[in-house]
Amino acid sequence: IVVPLQFFDIQDSIVFAIISWTIRLFWTFDLPLQFLTGYAKRGGEVEMRPSEVAWKYLRTWFVVDLFMLSIDWVEFFIGGVGSVNASRLAKAIKTLRMIRVARMFK
C-alpha cells in the first residue's frame, strides 16, 4: 500500500517544492500529449488515428486529468490558503491520479 506524502503534515522544504513542481509540470505537459497517445483496442490492434484517440481520451480520463491539474494550479495560485478540510479533500482527490498511473502498468 502506498500512501502519498501529502496526507502527512510534513514541513515545507526545497526538496518537496521541487517534487511538487516536477509533478505539476509533468501532468501539465502530459494532458495535451494524451490526445496523441494511441491505445490498444480489444482485439489487440493499436489505434493511432488522432480523431479516435482524442475522442476516447475525452470520454475516459480527460475530465479526471483536467480536474486534477486544475486543483494543482489553483492550489499554487492561492498559495495553499483556505480551510484545512478543503486542502485535505484536494489531497485525497489527487489519489485518483495514482490510480491512473497504476493502470498504465497493467
Side-chain angles (χ1 to χ4, degrees):
I1 297 175
V2 176
V3 178
L5 291 175
Q6 296 170 331
F7 282 113
F8 302 103
D9 291 329
I10 299 175
Q11 298 294 328
D12 288 338
S13 71
I14 189 70
V15 173
F16 288 114
I18 290 170
I19 291 170
S20 178
W21 269 104
T22 302
I23 292 168
R24 183 178 294 118
L25 292 175
F26 172 82
W27 289 105
T28 299
F29 291 119
D30 180 68
L31 187 117
L33 290 176
Q34 289 303 310
F35 285 99
L36 306 172
T37 304
Y39 63 92
K41 293 174 150 181
R42 290 195 176 164
E45 183 181 343
V46 177
E47 179 64 67
M48 293 298 294
R49 291 177 293 178
S51 61
E52 293 297 320
V53 170
W55 181 241
K56 178 164 172 91
Y57 180 55
L58 285 170
R59 290 179 305 170
T60 56
W61 286 102
F62 177 73
V63 173
V64 174
D65 287 349
L66 187 63
F67 184 66
M68 295 298 107
L69 191 58
S70 298
I71 288 173
D72 278 346
W73 284 106
V74 166
E75 185 178 54
F76 168 72
F77 283 116
I78 35 180
V81 264
S83 72
V84 173
N85 290 335
S87 176
R88 287 184 188 227
L89 175 63
K91 291 174 183 177
I93 292 172
K94 286 181 184 180
T95 58
L96 286 175
R97 186 177 289 155
M98 289 187 348
I99 294 169
R100 183 169 189 265
V101 170
R103 286 178 51 109
M104 288 191 296
F105 293 108
K106 276 188 169 184

